Amino acid sequence: MASPWRLLAAGLLALLVSGCQSLPNPVGDADQDTDPALGLEQHSSWLEGEDLDSDSEQFADVWERMRAGYQLQDYIEVNPRIEQQRLWFVSNPSFIEKSSQRGSPYIFYIVEQLEKNNMPQELALLPMIESAYNPLAYSRAHAVGLWQFIPSTGRHFKLKQTNWYDGRRDITASTRAALTYLQYLHDMFNGDWLLALASYNAGEGTVSRAIERNQKLGLPTDYWNLPLPKETRDYVPKLLALSQVVASPEAYGVKLAEIANQPYFERVAFDHRLQLNRLEDMAEIDEGELARLNPAFKQGVTFDGPKHLLVPTDKAELLQASLALLKPEEQLNWQQYKVRSGDSLHSIANRYHVSVNSLKDLNGLKSNHLRIGQALNIPVPPGFKPNQPLHQVTQTASSSRQYRVRQGDNLWSIAKAQRVSVNELKRWNNLPGNALKVGQVLRLQGGQVAVVTNSSAGKPTQYRVRQGDSLYLIAKRHKVQLAQLQRWNPQASKALKPGQVLTLYLR
């Protein structure tokens, strides 16, 4: 005869299953691009409540604060599945160490959001399992970001996805979406966080069907006894084991990154379309830091996304002041160009003074092939009118012509003047490298020779970068716009090195 405790447990399990069966249609497996369940809207605003009173300042660092908010430790008993995962972490301490360092700008924010909503602080470690705290992580199932949202689930949570911006990579937006989803799953499975976590990994449809199967067979329907995919069977033990290691890192020989119990970043509102690397120059922010905090701007341009940036707290005030002083002509505009018959990426790039690679990156092009009527997005300074014809004399050339190299010429300047690509010049003349000799004769094939007599671009001038130079200082010194200097030298947009040669078009 079954004991009273066994009968009580069976009754509770039956209630759990009946509750699951009455829920909205379940999501498909997490590795399938399916529409998420209905009914999430009721959770969509719960994260936006007022801050809760907290004694958070008492903690020495964010890890101590996280440990104080653990809620899942009662699930941990002598369990071989947890032991196996803990052994892996202890055998690979560098994984935790590197992941915690990578996540150091984001962890305080996640811990704070969990605390505001009384959710288990163990969930702050979930991005370490999902993506190793890499907001650029991309899976075979097309899941993206810290929290690994697939496209359809991201769209359901209003995480915008375009060629310019992907909200799944947005640190704050994706975190809010993930916590909303996790809270929904927690409510769906009657307050069972282990079933909620399993559903986050495999999809609530997979977990609900596993519960129903076990119920029909008279088997236990708790997480540990469900027939789930191997990845999901390891997923929850992995998180629980990781939480144990983080609880006592010294005991396991692991060194966590030092993370202060204070905000790493704050929001700065803007109303401009600007390049992140230019904003870094304006606010004296370390190179690449804005991209690390704002990885959702896929092309490094504040376009097609929210009107705010995450900025290191110690630089926010300076950036706000710099943006307030920004002149209209210093802002970056965008034009759309429709491909016409005879156009090529090289000719369009020359017309707008940008590089072919920049055009391809900005428009998500995987090849040089263009279609007539295709729309291309191109960055231009205010007032720039590329569709106005240049003042030039054009002479028709024969199918084969020649050009004699002069002092100061290089392959790029010759290709630009002759409306051809550098690769074409090298191919036509069997050039293994970029070196040219004065007097050397180059073969040109077909097309037209454009002799510019009054180009609005000005005369090309070379400038050698000196110690202490920045793009902003060079632009100011030569009285050109920073956006122009960046367009003329796209290869120099990331960093400058003494001795590097830049091209300027000075009138």
Side-chain angles (χ1 to χ4, degrees), residues 31 68 82 146 162 164 179 191 216 228 232 265 283 307 318 334 357 359 385 425 460 481:
D31 59 354
I82 298 177
L146 290 179
T162 70
W164 298 91
L179 300 196
K216 289 178 180 178
L228 296 168
T232 310
F265 57 76
K307 293 297 183 181
L318 177 57
W334 297 86
N357 286 337
L359 269 186
K385 298 179 180 179
L425 269 182
Q481 296 175 9

Side-chain angles (χ1 to χ4, degrees), residues 252-284:
Y252 294 104
V254 172
K255 184 176 177 59
L256 299 173
E258 295 182 4
I259 306 177
N261 183 34
Q262 60 187 34
Y264 184 89
F265 57 76
E266 62 182 81
R267 288 184 180 182
V268 171
F270 65 87
D271 193 28
H272 312 288
R273 292 175 179 173
L274 297 167
Q275 292 171 296
L276 296 183
N277 53 22
R278 181 188 175 190
L279 293 171
E280 289 175 340
D281 288 340
M282 291 170 58
E284 301 176 2

